[in-house]
Amino acid sequence: MHYEFTVSTKSSEELIDITNNVEEVVQKSDTREGVCIVYIPHATAGIILNESADPNIKRDFLSALDRVIPRHAGYLHDRIDNNAHAHIKSAIVGSSVTIPLSDGHLGLGTWQAVMLCEFDGPRSRRRVVIKIIPASA
Ligand code: ZN
């Protein structure tokens, strides 16, 4: 089953908790057991699972990535659209996560949230694609 929703981002870089949006899709699908794939079809954004309760984790995550992949480091792609760092961060973070479904809900750990990673915002329309694969009986 294929589902999709969009998220608008407000900063050049930010993490947005989309757990509730994904859980809502799981509810709509009426699937008890299986897996849920959350995928973002963009080259300068990503999807991660991590803690969202303490907002400082989001800031720490972005600043740690920035230390490893600085915004300007003489990237060749910056001659075209000045966002090479966002492409590299997106590739390292990854474009999807797979979450087991348990009893009709996302089987996340207590401190896990699904987060969209914006690396080249703000963007009015980031697509998030959800595939729900029911377990075969
Ligand atoms: Zn680019």
Side-chain angles (χ1 to χ4, degrees):
M1 285 166 276
H2 176 99
Y3 303 88
E4 192 169 323
F5 59 83
T6 60
V7 175
S8 61
T9 64
K10 291 172 179 50
S11 307
S12 60
E13 292 195 340
E14 67 180 311
L15 266 56
I16 299 174
D17 188 335
I18 57 168
T19 309
N20 290 342
N21 308 58
V22 179
E23 178 68 34
E24 198 175 294
V25 169
V26 171
Q27 298 305 309
K28 267 190 218 155
S29 80
D30 205 22
T31 306
R32 307 298 298 168
E33 302 292 331
V35 293
C36 172
I37 297 168
V38 184
Y39 170 75
I40 189 159
H42 297 285
T44 56
I47 297 283
I48 61 166
L49 295 177
N50 215 289
E51 178 175 334
S52 158
D54 177 5
N56 282 331
I57 300 272
K58 297 176 186 166
R59 297 174 63 189
D60 288 342
F61 180 82
L62 292 173
S63 68
L65 267 182
D66 233 25
R67 286 194 294 276
V68 179
I69 307 143
R71 278 166 191 252
H72 301 289
Y75 305 116
L76 300 175
H77 180 72
D78 282 354
R79 296 174 194 167
I80 298 171
D81 65 1
N82 211 31
N83 66 355
H85 76 100
H87 288 289
I88 298 166
K89 287 169 182 168
S90 161
I92 287 176
V93 160
S95 301
S96 70
V97 295
T98 304
I99 305 160
L101 297 182
S102 182
D103 209 17
H105 295 281
L106 290 171
L108 292 168
T110 305
W111 298 105
Q112 281 185 314
V114 187
M115 288 190 279
L116 183 157
C117 308
E118 175 61 82
F119 297 122
D120 192 30
R123 301 286 184 110
S124 58
R125 206 170 167 273
R126 287 299 201 182
R127 292 170 56 210
V128 178
V129 173
I130 313 281
K131 289 279 185 183
I132 296 190
I133 303 163
S136 50

